[in-house]
Amino acid sequence: MKSNGAQKTDLVAVASISAGHPFRGRIDPVAGVETAVVQMRDTSSSGVNWTSCVRTEVAGRREPDWLRPGDILFPARGNVSLAVLIDESIGSLQAVAAPHFFLLRVSRPDVLPAYLAWWLNQEPAQRHLEQNAQSSTLVRNIARPVLEATPVVLPPLPRQEQIVGLANAMQREDALLHRLHQTNQQIMTGLARDLLAD
């Protein structure tokens, strides 16, 4: 318990954690199918790029765990362990997570999924994962018990909303700066080409 109204707990106390969809073998595209599979390459710190997701058949004995807004994807392996929030941009798309993701679903009303995704990407949570991951020479693996034991600090909901708002504003600013940099680069390239053509 913390004096500022924030409480400290483990991830498993605030979210259910399950594995992604159990595909056997390669995930190949199937023409005419609308079901999307989110793989590592489709995610970034700003979310999921739905247009890049492979469309394929999703078979299995049980109903798949369809992704929905508020879900959090966390990579079980790889050298970058960034939590990715599934937001409203998923729309009505039927999608599943590939097997190398953990699927997190918030299980308490006093936890904002966007806050939890933000927290998992911050230094205290990342340090816990770094220190407890099993690493081979090429890639590190996060075991489920390690992820479940990740420390989570939960401020009251209004504070969580403030933090998410600030994080979103900073992300928009980063995107604008990136676009500005690209525009400047294009201007300079155009200038150099004009000089060459003269």
Side-chain angles (χ1 to χ4, degrees):
M1 201 70 180
K2 288 189 173 292
S3 57
N4 60 3
Q7 45 183 302
K8 188 167 188 259
T9 184
D10 290 343
L11 181 60
V12 72
V14 300
S16 66
I17 301 170
S18 56
H21 189 76
F23 285 95
R24 284 181 179 78
R26 276 166 41 118
I27 301 170
D28 290 318
V30 177
V33 175
E34 282 305 300
T35 305
V37 182
V38 182
Q39 300 179 74
M40 301 281 275
R41 62 172 181 247
D42 306 315
T43 63
S44 69
S45 58
S46 53
V48 178
N49 178 357
W50 296 109
T51 53
S52 77
C53 295
V54 168
R55 303 301 199 260
T56 194
E57 296 281 358
V58 176
R61 267 170 280 170
R62 60 185 183 86
E63 176 73 6
D65 240 340
W66 301 115
L67 297 177
R68 52 184 194 237
D71 286 348
I72 299 166
L73 299 182
F74 197 89
R77 50 185 312 181
N79 295 321
V80 180
S81 303
L82 282 184
V84 176
L85 179 71
I86 304 295
D87 62 16
E88 304 301 330
S89 67
I90 188 172
S92 59
L93 183 65
Q94 276 202 317
V96 295
H100 43 254
F101 280 114
F102 287 113
L103 172 57
L104 281 56
R105 282 202 171 126
V106 168
S107 54
R108 285 174 37 174
D110 62 340
V111 182
L112 281 181
Y115 170 81
L116 185 59
W118 172 85
W119 172 262
L120 290 171
N121 293 336
Q122 301 312 305
E123 197 266 343
Q126 289 288 316
R127 190 173 61 234
H128 162 82
L129 295 164
E130 183 72 49
Q131 288 169 348
N132 295 285
Q134 301 155 328
S135 288
S136 67
T137 47
L138 296 174
V139 77
R140 70 174 192 180
N141 290 304
I142 307 280
R144 188 160 158 175
V146 169
L147 184 60
E148 289 176 343
T150 304
V152 176
V153 174
L154 288 177
L157 268 174
R159 183 86 178 110
Q160 290 180 41
E161 285 165 359
Q162 281 179 336
I163 290 167
V164 168
L166 181 63
N168 288 344
M170 288 168 81
Q171 202 163 40
R172 284 194 298 274
E173 188 181 339
D174 279 349
L176 283 169
L177 286 170
H178 179 68
R179 281 208 294 277
L180 184 63
H181 177 73
Q182 283 180 317
T183 305
N184 289 344
Q185 199 63 52
Q186 284 161 356
I187 291 167
M188 287 298 163
T189 304
L191 188 59
R193 284 185 183 145
D194 288 349
L195 285 169
L196 185 65
D198 281 350

